[in-house]
């Protein structure tokens, strides 16, 4: 088979970022192979929120007229830049949006602005988030449904399941060798570490630096799904069907967002000890089934509506939340490059982790598919990725941690309410309105000025 590039790519990890990368590279005619440790039947079934910035990357041609009619600044910018020979065609994005949308229970992305409510009676509304961002849309989808949609876009021969990477090293010829738990190996010119929070590729990128930046964040999340009708029959007063709701309290908060046409409410209860020192990575696995009583015992001081929710969260799963602290200052070593949680595993309190992964993928794909990129200049091209992605993603990582502390500091006083309103106002705009296109343009300009391109 004839390929468009003289280098080969191995993607370590077949999750959201890894498969999205693979679709874009395969579409560009690049030789790519994906190695995934699990099978899809083993995938955790959490919901995924694709926010405004992620969707702006992945606008499909069929939705361009709709978004132009809404006059999205990001979309107009991308639509204008898509005719440049130097950039990925934004009409098609990474080439996955239509397939993912078809697997979602939403007909199209919709606004999902939060309302923040006191966890104690009488559940006063503290703050309805508003924004000057035109139609800040999001798309909610079940993670296995996303993976199924993207997998269908790929030639099955380029995806290897049950291939758990255990280490990486460099061969005498300069290629990278991936070693797997089954004793096999694979060589590639370029390795993309999309292997998630417990990344093996990250260990290679970090090198011999002492310590592990992956820590337990003293935070647990209890997850579950509850039929809306059951909550309404039980007398819940807060409307959970129109927009996402966050019940706030001291050391805890509850996220509620409607799915499946608002017939089901996805519940995530966060409990955190923010004043305790961060701990080392916990033994795996980090997800376990727990009793309802464990959760209810931690929330006895909350009001009517949260207790109704907890009464109906009959079989919660408990997730021990990990993150990178301190954040990585480099996502690249040699020709191994990190994307997604492998690069910047963050707390989920801004709902921006997936979006940052898609930003990584978008920048990397545009640089690697550029007509002038070839094996001989991969070091320079990856260096430009490394210039732009750590500062941006790490800013979002740190903002997510601040957001969690803010949620969990509410004591129901008027002063707390005023402080919360001030701190929350505009916090998502820095995520949504970031000019990713400018990062790519600047990176390409540096490559031109340095005679790499």
């Amino acid at each position: 088979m004839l390929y468009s590039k003289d280098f080969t790519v191995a993607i370590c990890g077949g999750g959201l970022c890894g498969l999205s990368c693979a679709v874009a590279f395969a579409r560009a005619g690049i030789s790519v192979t994906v190695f995934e440790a699990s099978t899809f039947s083993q995938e955790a079934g959490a919901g995924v929120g694709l926010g405004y910035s992620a969707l702006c990357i992945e606008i499909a041609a069929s939705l361009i007229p709709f978004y132009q009619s809404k006059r999205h600044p990001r979309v107009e910018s991308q639509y204008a830049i898509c005719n440049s020979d130097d950039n990925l065609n934004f009409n098609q994005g990474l080439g996955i949006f239509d397939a993912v949308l078809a697997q979602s229970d939403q007909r199209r992305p919709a606004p999902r602005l939060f309302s923040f409510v006191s966890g104690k009676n009488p559940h006063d509304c503290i703050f309805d988030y508003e924004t000057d961002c035109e139609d800040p849309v999001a798309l909610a989808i079940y993670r296995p449904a996303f993976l199924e949609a993207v997998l269908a876009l790929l030639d099955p021969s380029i995806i290897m399941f049950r291939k758990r990477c255990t280490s990486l090293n460099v061969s005498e010829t300069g290629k990278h060798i991936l070693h797997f738990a089954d004793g096999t190996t694979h060589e590639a010119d370029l390795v993309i570490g999309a292997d998630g929070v417990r990344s093996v590729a990250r260990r290679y990128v970090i090198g011999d630096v002492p310590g592990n930046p992956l820590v337990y964040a003293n935070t647990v999340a209890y997850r579950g799904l509850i039929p809306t009708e059951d909550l309404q029959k039980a007398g819940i007063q807060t409307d959970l069907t129109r927009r996402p709701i966050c019940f706030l309290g001291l050391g805890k908060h509850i996220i509620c967002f409607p799915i499946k046409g608002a017939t089901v409410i996805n519940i995530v209860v966060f409990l955190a000890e923010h004043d305790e020192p961060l701990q080392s990575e916990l033994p795996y696995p980090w997800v376990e089934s727990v009793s309802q009583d464990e959760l209810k015992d931690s929330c006895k001081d909350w009001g009517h509506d949260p207790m109704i929710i907890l009464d109906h969260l009959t079989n919660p799963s408990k997730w021990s939340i990990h993150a990178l602290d301190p954040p990585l200052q480099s996502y690249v070593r040699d020709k191994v490059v990190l994307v997604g949680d492998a690069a910047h595993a963050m707390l989920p309190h801004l709902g921006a982790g997936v979006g940052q992964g898609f930003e990584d993928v978008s920048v990397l794909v545009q640089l690697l598919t550029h007509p002038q990129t070839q094996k001989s200049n991969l070091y320079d091209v990856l260096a430009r990725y490394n210039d732009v992605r750590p500062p941006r993603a790490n800013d979002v990582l740190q903002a997510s941690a601040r957001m969690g502390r803010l949620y969990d500091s509410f004591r129901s006083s008027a002063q707390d309410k005023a402080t919360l309103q001030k701190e929350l106002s505009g916090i998502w705009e820095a995520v949504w309105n970031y000019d990713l296109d400018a990062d790519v343009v600047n990176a390409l300009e540096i490559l031109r000025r340095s005679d790499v391109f």
Side-chain angles (χ1 to χ4, degrees), residues 386-399:
N386 210 32
D387 287 342
V388 299
R389 288 310 302 155
R392 159 63 172 166
N394 289 343
D395 279 350
V396 177
L397 181 155
Q398 291 166 336

Side-chain angles (χ1 to χ4, degrees), residues 151-391:
L151 181 65
L153 302 175
L154 289 167
D155 181 341
S157 68
I158 71 170
I159 308 171
M160 308 296 162
F161 292 108
R162 297 188 179 92
K163 301 292 285 188
R164 181 177 299 281
C165 183
T166 56
S167 65
L168 294 167
N169 68 294
V170 182
S171 72
E172 293 180 357
T173 62
K175 290 195 172 188
H176 285 283
I177 305 175
L178 293 84
H179 298 262
F180 300 101
D182 61 6
T184 61
T185 61
H186 178 85
E187 288 192 5
D189 297 304
L190 171 67
V191 175
I192 297 175
D195 48 342
V197 177
R198 301 173 67 236
S199 171
V200 171
R202 184 198 302 131
R203 294 207 300 265
Y204 178 86
V205 169
I206 292 173
D208 296 328
V209 175
N212 182 359
L214 183 65
V215 297
Y216 169 58
N218 296 327
T219 301
V220 294
Y222 296 85
R223 300 177 183 268
L225 303 175
I226 305 174
T228 304
E229 184 179 7
D230 291 355
L231 295 173
Q232 292 171 339
K233 286 180 178 178
I236 197 164
Q237 297 169 1
T238 305
D239 185 356
L240 305 182
T241 63
R242 292 188 306 108
R243 63 192 295 175
I245 300 293
C246 180
F247 289 100
L248 299 172
L250 190 60
K252 52 187 174 286
H253 65 277
I254 303 178
I255 300 292
C256 313
F257 56 94
I259 60 174
K260 297 185 178 180
T263 61
V264 174
I265 307 299
N266 192 335
I267 304 294
V268 189
V269 183
F270 288 97
L271 304 180
E273 297 177 329
H274 295 286
D275 295 332
E276 295 296 318
L278 295 176
Q279 301 181 40
S280 300
E281 177 184 351
L282 297 182
Y284 205 70
W286 299 337
V287 181
E288 59 180 320
S289 296
V290 296
S291 70
Q292 186 184 38
D293 291 340
E294 175 182 323
L295 177 55
K296 292 177 69 174
D297 286 346
S298 302
C299 301
K300 290 178 178 178
D301 59 331
W302 273 24
H304 175 266
D305 286 0
M307 294 313 296
I308 287 178
I309 291 170
L310 299 185
D311 283 339
H312 288 79
L313 204 62
T314 53
N315 295 296
S317 58
K318 179 181 178 181
W319 300 55
S320 297
I321 307 300
H322 288 66
L324 290 176
D325 192 325
L328 302 188
Q329 298 306 304
S330 173
Y331 298 168
V332 175
R333 178 186 172 197
D334 301 328
K335 287 181 282 189
V336 177
V337 55
L338 304 178
V339 298
D341 284 344
H344 42 69
M346 64 184 67
L347 294 172
H349 303 306
L350 277 176
V354 174
Q356 286 308 295
F358 275 111
E359 287 189 13
D360 297 337
V361 171
S362 179
V363 172
L364 189 61
V365 165
Q366 290 182 76
L367 293 177
L368 291 175
T369 59
H370 188 280
Q372 300 302 318
T373 299
Q374 53 193 333
K375 185 192 295 188
S376 63
N377 59 24
L378 281 176
Y379 287 112
D380 296 295
V381 171
L382 294 179
R384 302 292 74 77
Y385 171 88
N386 210 32
D387 287 342
V388 299
R389 288 310 302 155

